[in-house]
Amino acid sequence: MAVTVVLLVLLPHVGSIPVFATIAALLAAVASLAYMPAFAVPLRALPPAVIGAAMAVIIFGGQLAGVVTPLLFGIVTDHFSYATAFVVLAAGPLPAAAVAACVPQSADAFRARLSGRFAVTSDPKESLA
């Protein structure tokens, strides 16, 4: 996420289109790495009865961000500048990093945190057979 912040702040200050396109592509590649654990950990840890609801919440969050972010970017651009809008956009990974620090980072840790809320089997693949 730190790389994302740096690339977002750099983006409005580049002088050529090829450099802008390269930084934007690198930004997209780095940012997409955050999606993998967001889907993988719940899929491996949650019981099948709630996987659909969990994926719906995760996807809803991504879709909501896809609607709110351009709106916020446009408002900041209209009132200030593109450079300021990219700095505001770069602030997005900061709360994401704070949340990521609090969320279990492995399926086992995720299951341990959920042990009191759901009847989680020791191996989630057993229930799929």
Side-chain angles (χ1 to χ4, degrees):
M1 286 190 224
V3 174
T4 305
V5 171
V6 171
L7 291 174
L8 278 170
V9 172
L10 254 172
L11 204 55
H13 301 290
V14 297
S16 69
I17 293 174
V19 174
F20 182 91
T22 302
I23 291 175
L26 186 58
L27 177 63
V30 170
S32 69
L33 293 175
Y35 296 127
M36 289 185 276
F39 284 102
V41 172
L43 279 175
R44 299 186 105 211
L46 290 173
V50 296
I51 286 178
M55 291 300 102
V57 170
I58 292 169
I59 291 171
F60 174 74
Q63 296 298 318
L64 183 63
V67 171
V68 172
T69 302
L71 180 63
L72 177 65
F73 191 87
I75 291 169
V76 173
T77 302
D78 287 345
H79 288 68
F80 299 100
S81 68
Y82 276 102
T84 305
F86 277 102
V87 169
V88 170
L89 193 60
L94 298 177
V99 169
C102 299
V103 174
Q105 300 298 310
S106 69
D108 292 332
F110 199 86
R111 268 189 231 104
R113 174 111 21 119
L114 290 176
S115 63
R117 296 186 186 152
F118 299 104
V120 180
T121 61
S122 61
D123 185 9
K125 293 180 183 178
E126 288 175 358
S127 58
L128 297 175

